[in-house]
């Protein structure tokens, strides 16, 4: 029992960088995973993936100007993400093109521009840092930023909870109240962008969306209500974060991809074994509608 305890807890007790990484995973789980639930219920998972790449040029331009500066890269990523979100929304509302098509166009341009800038003005190490993050190198300032973003996210979701749920149930309910419909949409997109920026500092632009989509998708197989999905997705994200950190520590695997891969494993287990999964769903009696 002592050996198991040392195996699971020892790295976090012994090393400060492991404790900071654990704190970062906890904060990201509380903020990003609940956003992922609404992302999933609104059928915007691929939109989230596109937005994760849309923050890259802003962060890259900030890197070109100020180097690996936390405030500069945070501000650049948020501005870039919001600009792409607003541009794609305006194009979609003009009726010229669907939102997914316009978003795909803008995010592809953003991703290409960001990679060109980092590759031209940086080096291979900097490019890997931007794309895959460095969760084991989180400092106190980055942890504070992630904690503040998670707190803002929880407060924002509490304010927007009702309109977001209504829109998940039926997208035609909110347009009757146009003010709330616009507030809910742009408010949610803002929460999405700032959480992607928070995840960018820990997991990089390529991996940050995984901490949103995968725990929400796994929780969907176990939970039947939105509240249960919100809580369970955060718990799954935290469990995968701890497991990913330990696997990365003992096997010297890249930490961000290991955490996302652990989330993918939890998703596959849920897909097979959850009450709504592939294996158990066949054996469950089907419900019949009653009048």
């Amino acid at each position: 029992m002592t050996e198991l305890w040392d195996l699971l807890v020892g790295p976090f007790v012994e090393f400060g960088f492991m404790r900071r990484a654990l704190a970062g995973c906890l904060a990201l789980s509380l903020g990003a995973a609940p956003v992922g639930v609404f992302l999933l219920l609104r059928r915007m998972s691929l939109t989230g993936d596109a937005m994760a790449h849309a923050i890259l040029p802003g962060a890259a331009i900030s890197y070109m100007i100020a180097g690996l500066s936390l405030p500069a890269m945070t501000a650049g990523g948020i501005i870039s993400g919001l600009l792409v979100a607003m541009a794609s929304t305006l194009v979609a509302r003009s009726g010229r093109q669907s939102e997914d098509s316009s978003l795909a166009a803008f995010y592809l341009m953003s991703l290409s521009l960001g990679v060109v800038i980092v590759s031209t003005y940086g080096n291979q190490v900097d490019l890997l840092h931007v794309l895959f993050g460095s969760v084991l190198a989180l400092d106190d300032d980055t942890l504070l930023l992630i904690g503040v973003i998670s707190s803002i996210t929880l407060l924002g979701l509490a304010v927007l909870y009702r309109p977001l749920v209504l829109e998940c149930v039926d997208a035609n309910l909110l347009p009757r109240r146009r003010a709330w419909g616009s507030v809910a949409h742009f408010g949610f997109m803002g929460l999405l962008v700032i959480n992607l920026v928070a995840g960018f500092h820990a997991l990089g632009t390529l991996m940050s969306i995984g901490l949103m989509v995968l725990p929400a998708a796994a929780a969907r197989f176990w939970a039947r209500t939105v509240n249960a999905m919100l809580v369970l997705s955060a718990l799954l994200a935290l469990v995968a974060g701890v497991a990913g950190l330990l696997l990365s520590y003992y096997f010297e695997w890249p930490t961000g991809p290991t955490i996302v891969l652990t989330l993918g494993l939890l998703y596959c287990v849920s897909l097979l074994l959850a009450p709504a999964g592939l294996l158990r769903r066949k054996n469950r009696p089907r419900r019949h509608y009653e009048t």
Side-chain angles (χ1 to χ4, degrees), residues 17 28 53 69 99 102 130 132 143 151 178 181 195 208 210 218 225 239 253-255 257-258 274 281 283 287 291:
F17 70 88
L28 287 172
H53 300 309
S69 168
E99 187 170 7
S102 59
V130 170
F132 298 104
L143 279 179
S151 301
R178 295 190 177 183
N195 276 276
S208 59
T225 65
V239 168
W253 294 345
T255 310
T258 302
R281 189 174 184 180
N283 299 324
R287 291 190 175 186
T291 57

Side-chain angles (χ1 to χ4, degrees), residues 73-92:
M73 294 186 73
T74 299
I78 291 176
I79 292 172
S80 176
L82 291 177
L83 285 176
V84 170
M86 292 176 61
S88 60
T89 300
L90 290 175
V91 171

Side-chain angles (χ1 to χ4, degrees), residues 130-155:
V130 170
L131 295 180
F132 298 104
S134 54
V135 67
L136 293 181
L138 295 178
D139 55 20
D140 294 339
D141 292 336
T142 307
L143 279 179
L144 178 61
L145 172 68
I146 295 175
V148 169
I149 288 177
S150 296
S151 301
I152 293 174
T153 300
L154 293 176
L155 179 61

Side-chain angles (χ1 to χ4, degrees), residues 173-242:
L173 291 177
L174 275 183
R176 299 174 185 175
R177 304 175 182 180
R178 295 190 177 183
W180 264 116
S182 299
V183 169
H185 178 76
F186 286 107
F188 178 75
M189 293 301 289
L191 294 179
L192 172 62
V193 169
I194 63 173
N195 276 276
L196 287 172
V197 171
F200 154 74
H201 288 298
L203 303 176
T205 57
L206 295 184
M207 298 287 109
S208 59
I209 189 62
L211 204 59
M212 290 186 182
V213 174
L214 286 173
R220 186 69 181 90
F221 290 110
W222 298 96
R224 299 180 64 88
T225 65
V226 175
N227 290 339
M229 283 186 65
L230 292 172
V231 174
L232 185 56
S233 66
L235 289 176
L236 289 174
L238 179 58
V239 168
V242 174

Side-chain angles (χ1 to χ4, degrees), residues 78-136:
I78 291 176
I79 292 172
S80 176
L82 291 177
L83 285 176
V84 170
M86 292 176 61
S88 60
T89 300
L90 290 175
V91 171
R93 294 195 173 188
S94 69
R96 302 294 182 182
Q97 200 170 42
S98 63
E99 187 170 7
D100 60 336
S101 300
S102 59
L103 184 62
F106 283 112
Y107 111 77
L108 286 172
M109 291 187 291
S110 299
L111 177 61
S112 303
L113 177 61
V115 172
V116 168
I117 292 174
V118 176
S119 300
T120 303
Y121 294 94
N123 54 48
Q124 191 70 17
V125 175
D126 294 331
L127 181 60
L128 291 175
H129 172 82
V130 170
L131 295 180
F132 298 104
S134 54
V135 67
L136 293 181

Side-chain angles (χ1 to χ4, degrees), residues 39-91:
L39 203 63
L40 181 73
L41 294 178
R42 298 178 77 195
R43 297 176 177 86
M44 295 175 62
S45 298
L46 292 179
T47 299
D49 184 48
M51 293 302 302
H53 300 309
I55 68 175
L56 182 56
I61 293 173
S62 300
Y63 166 80
M64 181 178 65
I65 297 173
L68 293 174
S69 168
L70 177 65
M73 294 186 73
T74 299
I78 291 176
I79 292 172
S80 176
L82 291 177
L83 285 176
V84 170
M86 292 176 61
S88 60
T89 300
L90 290 175
V91 171

